[in-house]
Amino acid sequence: MAKRKVKVRVATRTVTRIVRKTPKIARCAICGRPLHGIPRNVRKLSKSEKRVSRKYGGYLCSKCARELIKKEIYEKFG
Amino acid sequence: MAIEVGRICMKIAGRDAGNFCVIVKKINDNFVLVTGPKILTGVRRRRVNIRHIQELPYKIEIKEDASDKEVLDAWEKSGLIKKLGLKKPHISKVKEMEKEESKEEKKVKRKKKKK
């Protein structure tokens, strides 16, 4: 994760502190709404902790996933 | 394309979104009992809101509240397994399913005796 230097005043002198930046919230690929169930710092987590156990989990929000599956049904089964 | 017993539909929400399932029983005008069965499509026998399923133009003949075994046989008879691109479960899996079902039936009988 990106590091950032911050100047902090400590009693008599100023000290540079290194602060880690947290990544942005995961967003839906179609509508851009924030995704639920996905933690912010993701680097050390296992694969299943980084996404939601649903089709398109972690990539699309539940509403867009529902519409996309419906669209697939209409194309395939008419 | 109505919600009726034997209608094949696809779950569009929840963990098993995108899987096929068969309507087994109508609970009320909002909920239906649905089963895959689990070894064929991955949808276990459960109560589902009709807004979370999308019906398809396919239907199999099963009686109301049929057991998973009967539903599986109806799937095979209808020949939809190949058509919808599903894999026929291995015989050992089918036996496991029967064992589980017999266990559940015993439980239900025991409950009835207790009353």
Side-chain angles (χ1 to χ4, degrees):
Chain A
M1 271 186 277
K3 290 184 195 152
R4 195 174 43 186
K5 289 197 171 72
V6 173
K7 297 251 179 329
V8 174
R9 212 174 139 56
V10 173
T12 58
R13 53 190 169 75
T14 65
V15 166
T16 64
R17 284 250 171 88
I18 293 175
V19 172
R20 287 189 176 280
K21 282 191 203 167
T22 55
K24 292 196 283 291
I25 309 165
R27 294 218 172 242
C28 165
I30 297 177
C31 61
R33 262 187 287 247
L35 294 179
H36 299 290
I38 293 162
R40 295 285 295 278
N41 43 13
V42 155
R43 211 158 48 89
K44 295 186 280 302
L45 300 176
S46 74
K47 186 171 179 187
S48 61
E49 279 155 341
K50 287 186 231 180
R51 52 183 170 74
V52 179
S53 63
R54 177 187 51 242
K55 204 176 178 194
Y56 303 118
Y59 179 68
L60 295 182
C61 63
S62 58
K63 292 178 186 63
C64 300
R66 192 178 291 192
E67 261 109 41
L68 200 66
I69 293 174
K70 264 192 197 167
K71 224 164 66 194
E72 277 164 13
I73 293 175
Y74 289 143
E75 273 144 27
K76 216 167 153 198
F77 300 106
Chain B
M1 285 253 269
I3 302 276
E4 63 221 341
V5 175
R7 170 69 54 186
I8 290 184
C9 34
M10 184 182 255
K11 258 194 110 279
I12 51 174
R15 196 177 28 181
D16 34 31
N19 291 353
F20 294 103
C21 56
V22 179
I23 295 178
V24 172
K25 191 174 82 173
K26 220 165 175 300
I27 297 171
N28 51 32
D29 51 4
N30 285 331
F31 285 94
V32 281
L33 186 72
V34 141
T35 183
K38 186 161 180 9
I39 48 173
L40 181 67
T41 63
V43 178
R44 58 184 167 78
R45 192 181 184 91
R46 60 193 291 230
R47 187 182 77 120
V48 149
N49 190 321
I50 49 169
R51 284 181 55 195
H52 295 166
I53 48 175
Q54 173 71 37
E55 64 267 15
L56 300 175
Y58 300 110
K59 202 166 181 307
I60 56 174
E61 300 85 26
I62 47 168
K63 59 177 169 51
E64 176 115 11
D65 208 359
S67 78
D68 284 3
K69 185 76 186 71
E70 284 146 16
V71 173
L72 190 63
D73 297 344
W75 265 101
E76 268 147 29
K77 240 185 288 156
S78 67
L80 278 168
I81 290 185
K82 243 188 224 66
K83 199 169 175 204
L84 299 181
L86 293 165
K87 228 156 85 356
K88 205 160 160 315
H90 197 261
I91 308 134
S92 60
K93 289 251 176 62
V94 179
K95 287 208 182 73
E96 262 163 53
M97 186 179 78
E98 274 148 23
K99 246 186 272 159
E100 268 145 39
E101 269 183 4
S102 55
K103 252 187 267 164
E104 266 142 41
E105 268 137 33
K106 273 186 208 125
K107 254 189 243 159
V108 170
K109 276 189 198 112
R110 250 181 263 130
K111 271 193 200 129
K112 281 197 186 108
K113 269 190 212 131
K114 271 193 199 132
K115 278 193 188 108

